[in-house]
Amino acid sequence: MDYKAAFQDAVERVRSEGRYRVFADLKRHRGEFPRATWTSPEGVESDVVVWCSNDYLGQGQNPVVLDAMTSAIDAHGSGSGGTRNISGTNHSHVELEAELADLHGKEAALVFTSGYVSNEATLSTLYKILPGLIIFSDAQNHASMIAGIRAGGGEKHVFRHNDLAHLEALLAAAPADAPKLIAFESVYSMDGDIADLPGTVALAKRYGAMTYLDEVHAVGMYGRRGGGVAERDGVMDQIDICEGTLGKAFGVMGGYIAADAVIVDAIRSYASGFIFTTSLPPALTAGAAASVRWLKDHNEIRVAHQERGATLKRMMAEAGLPVMPSQSHIVPVLVGDPVHTKLVSDLLLSDHGIYVQPINYPTVARGTERLRFTPTPFHTDEMMRDLVDAMSKLWSRCNVARLGGYAA
C-alpha cells in the first residue's frame, strides 16, 4: 500500500471541500491585547486585531496572573515532575482545586491537563463507577463529551438540542431503576445559545438522574463571582458535576471538574486520563489560581464583557450583516458556504488586519458555515467600526448574501 498517498488523498479531500484549515502565525504582545503581529506565509509581518480568541476577558494579559506565573517559575522551576500520583502534585494544584471548589460551591475539584481531557476522562469513567449507567446527551454537545461517552461503551441516548420535551420522553422510556446522567452544556459556543438549566435540573430530579454540566464557555463570565450560568440561574447546588476550563475566561490552560468530595475522589481513582498523564506545571496552576481568585472579586469585567458583545451584535445588525441569534457573548455571523467563509476570513486578515477564523464542517453543520466573533472588554468602539466597515465591503465584494434564515 502507498501509505503516503493515502494521507495525501485525505488532505486533498478536505481541500476540495473548501474547509482546509490554515493556522495563523501570531505573536501576542503583553499589555496590548487584542492586538498582535501576524506573520504571513511569505514571512511578512503586519499588525492585526484578534477577533476570535477564547481568552474572553483578556486574563492572559492580567498582571496579577502573569506575576503569579513568573513567581511560580522563580520559586519552583518549569515542570511539575510527573503525574499527580508520582511526585507531580504541587502545592499550587491543591490551592487551585480549593479555589475551583469554592467557585462552584462544591466540596472538591480535580484539575486535568485540558477541558477536553476532563470531559473525556470523567464521562468515560462514570460508566465504570455506575454499572448500567444511561447517559442522555444533548445533540450539540462538544466533541470531548461525545468522545468520553463513546469511550465509556455504555448505553446512551441523544436528545434534540435544548429540547426538554424530547429529553423527558427519553427519560420516561428508560428503566426507572437504572442509573441515569444528563450531560449538557450551559453556553454552546458555535451558536451562542444557552441551555435551560432550571428546566433540565427539574427533569433530573423527576427521573432520578444526575446532572453533568459543561460550563467551559461560561465560567469566569457569568454569575456574580464567575461561577457560570449555574450560578447566574441559582441552580449551582443542584448540579452534580460541573466541568470547566482554565484556558478560556481564566486565560491560562487546563480543565477541571467540581463536585461532592466522594465523586471527585472516585474519578481521581479510576480515570485513566487523569492517572497516567503528567500534571500541569506550577506556573500554569499558580496563574490559574490567581485568575480564578481575581475574577471572583471583579464583576465589573463581566459587565463590560456583556456590553461589548451586545454592542457588536447591534452594530452588525444595523449594517445588515446576518448575525445569528445569540443569547451570550458569542457573535456568530452566517455565511453558509465553506469557500466563501474562508475567502472572507482570508481577505479580512490580508487586507484589513482583522483576524477571525472560518468555522466550517465538522465543527458546524454543512450549510451553516460562519465567522465567529468573540469581543472582549478590550475591543474598542473604533475596532468594532473598522470591523463592521470591512465586513460590509467584503460581503458585497465576495457576493455573500446579507440576509438569511439566521439573520438578526
Side-chain angles (χ1 to χ4, degrees), residues 56-57 103 186-187 192-194 215 217-233 236 249 299 302 305-306 313 326-330:
Y56 291 129
L57 302 179
L103 177 68
S186 56
V187 176
D193 54 339
I194 298 178
E215 290 250 50
H217 291 279
V219 289
M221 296 173 287
Y222 294 85
R224 182 179 59 84
R225 300 197 310 156
V229 176
E231 182 190 20
R232 185 198 72 176
D233 292 355
M236 183 80 79
N299 191 52
R302 284 180 280 279
H305 185 227
Q306 291 295 316
K313 291 175 195 176
S326 168
Q327 301 168 283
S328 67
H329 57 280
I330 292 165

Side-chain angles (χ1 to χ4, degrees), residues 43-106:
V44 178
E45 291 190 342
S46 58
D47 294 334
V48 299
V49 175
V50 178
W51 277 99
C52 55
S53 175
N54 283 342
D55 186 1
Y56 291 129
L57 302 179
Q59 286 292 94
Q61 305 285 308
N62 189 327
V64 172
V65 177
L66 302 183
D67 289 348
M69 297 180 74
T70 54
S71 295
I73 291 176
D74 290 342
H76 309 295
S78 60
S80 67
T83 66
R84 290 288 295 275
N85 291 316
I86 305 175
S87 80
T89 295
N90 295 279
H91 187 60
S92 59
H93 287 100
V94 178
E95 291 182 325
L96 173 57
E97 286 170 346
E99 289 288 350
L100 293 167
D102 172 75
L103 177 68
H104 292 283
K106 302 299 183 186

Side-chain angles (χ1 to χ4, degrees), residues 159-160 162-171 203:
F159 60 94
R160 290 186 293 271
N162 281 346
D163 188 336
L164 294 189
H166 188 213
L167 171 59
E168 181 167 18
L170 294 173
L171 287 165
L203 284 181

Side-chain angles (χ1 to χ4, degrees), residues 245-266:
T245 183
L246 306 170
K248 293 183 171 63
F250 295 124
V252 191
M253 177 185 176
Y256 66 89
I257 60 168
D260 289 346
V262 68
I263 294 176
V264 170
D265 200 21

